[in-house]
Amino acid sequence: MILPIYITGHPTLHSPAEPVTEFNEDLAELVENMYETTVAAPGVGLAAPQIGIGKQAFVWVYANQTAAPARGVAINPQLFIEPIQPGGTTEEDAEGCLSFPGVKYQLRRSPRALLRAQGLDGKPYELEADGWFARILQHEYDHLQGTLYVDRLAEPFSSKAASFYQDNKWGSENTKWTPGEAH
């Protein structure tokens, strides 16, 4: 089932998520729905807070890497990154977000990440990622901390994002969109 995605302003997007404690059929169904929603959006990842569920879980759908399956889930993750090197951003650093739809802004991220998480069965796993996949993991992990990528932007992109936010009159906890429906 394709789920509605909340746009910035919904409380779960701006609060740290709670750990997942039950690994059961409900969790498996939620994760499957998150995969479907990600593909329909289209996106490369989705965190539970983006659909209004304040739990520590995110999915990715990204085949252009060798560190992990093209489709995966991270439950109760920990993420370790290399320090971000100083310097400016380039067009290659532009990323977007399903909870801040319609634009992409340049954000400097670490080129490498180490993810420790649990799978759907509750068993722990670890993977190393680099490049764009490392960026995806950092972006989705941020959602579990209550941070959107636009919260990390430097000038001039932070001002552009603030203007885009105001122009769209976002900020209500009821502002959402459903992939596949006109919005």
Side-chain angles (χ1 to χ4, degrees), residues 168-183:
N168 282 283
K169 298 177 175 59
W170 291 339
S172 163
E173 67 180 63
N174 295 319
T175 304
K176 58 189 171 190
W177 68 283
T178 302
E181 295 179 5
H183 62 277

Side-chain angles (χ1 to χ4, degrees), residues 41-124:
V44 293
L46 185 71
Q50 293 180 272
I51 54 171
I53 298 171
K55 293 292 182 180
Q56 292 182 16
F58 68 78
V59 300
W60 68 83
V61 179
Y62 186 68
N64 296 342
Q65 45 84 27
T66 58
R71 184 175 118 143
V73 61
I75 300 169
N76 300 326
Q78 294 178 304
L79 192 69
F80 305 92
I81 60 171
E82 285 186 3
I84 299 170
Q85 298 300 313
T89 58
T90 68
E91 298 222 0
E92 291 178 358
D93 294 318
E95 70 183 68
C97 181
L98 299 176
S99 291
F100 204 94
V103 290
K104 292 183 178 184
Y105 297 110
Q106 295 175 17
L107 176 64
R108 198 153 177 87
R109 296 265 193 191
S110 176
R112 284 180 271 295
L114 171 68
L115 175 70
R116 291 185 180 141
Q118 292 172 277
L120 267 179
D121 56 5
K123 292 181 182 173

Side-chain angles (χ1 to χ4, degrees), residues 121-171:
D121 56 5
K123 292 181 182 173
Y125 72 89
E126 180 176 295
L127 64 86
E128 293 183 33
D130 60 14
W132 197 256
F133 187 49
R135 177 180 292 275
I136 292 167
L137 297 179
Q138 291 169 74
H139 180 108
E140 300 309 329
Y141 182 80
D142 273 355
H143 277 298
L144 305 184
Q145 310 311 305
T147 302
L148 274 68
Y149 92 105
V150 292
D151 298 331
R152 294 189 178 278
L153 295 174
E155 287 300 335
F157 305 108
S158 58
S159 293
K160 290 179 181 182
S163 293
F164 192 80
Y165 173 87
Q166 290 175 343
D167 291 348
N168 282 283
K169 298 177 175 59
W170 291 339

Side-chain angles (χ1 to χ4, degrees), residues 6-17 49 52-54 143 146 148 171-175:
Y6 286 91
I7 294 173
T8 186
H10 190 274
T12 60
L13 290 171
H14 307 284
S15 303
I53 298 171
H143 277 298
L148 274 68
S172 163
E173 67 180 63
N174 295 319
T175 304

Side-chain angles (χ1 to χ4, degrees), residues 36-47:
E36 287 182 42
T37 303
T38 303
V39 170
V44 293
L46 185 71

